[in-house]
Amino acid sequence: MEGGELWFRLYKGLQRPLVFRSFKGKFIYWGVGSIFVGLILTMVTAAITSIWYGLITAIITVGGGLTYTGIMQKQGLHQKTKETGIFIIPCHFKTKFKK
């Protein structure tokens, strides 16, 4: 350590995103959440109507939630707007040149 420099190690985590059954990062929680909501709705629907309607509710809710999660994962980790076209940004500088 020369010149007053201070070096120390940094812990950088896993160095890769966490992956579980093709879901990455925050989308793992989205998938678990859709399964949990599907199970709750299935129990409520089965208790109120019948077991067959509960089964249909489970298939639609869990399948739809996991499909939506997969589609959102393909778009990326952060919400991005993809706009196409030519954009002209006006310049708002005031010049102080005198002739």
Side-chain angles (χ1 to χ4, degrees):
M1 287 190 250
E2 295 179 18
E5 295 177 11
L6 182 63
W7 294 94
F8 55 92
R9 294 183 184 189
L10 289 176
Y11 176 71
K12 295 184 180 180
L14 297 174
Q15 303 293 328
R16 290 189 282 174
L18 184 62
V19 178
F20 179 74
R21 297 196 184 248
S22 77
F23 290 118
K24 299 176 185 174
K26 71 177 182 179
F27 298 106
I28 295 172
Y29 299 111
W30 287 24
V32 170
S34 66
I35 291 171
F36 183 71
V37 169
L39 289 176
I40 297 296
L41 286 176
T42 299
M43 288 188 279
V44 170
T45 305
I48 293 174
T49 58
S50 72
I51 192 78
W52 296 108
Y53 289 126
L55 183 64
I56 292 170
T57 303
I59 292 170
I60 291 172
T61 307
V62 173
L66 293 177
T67 303
Y68 177 75
T69 303
I71 291 171
M72 292 304 290
Q73 180 175 322
K74 286 183 182 177
Q75 292 179 359
L77 186 61
H78 305 286
Q79 298 293 331
K80 301 174 195 153
T81 57
K82 296 181 181 179
E83 299 181 19
T84 58
I86 299 172
F87 299 97
I88 300 173
I89 301 171
C91 181
H92 295 292
F93 293 119
K94 293 182 180 179
T95 57
K96 295 182 180 180
F97 297 116
K98 294 182 181 179
K99 291 185 179 182

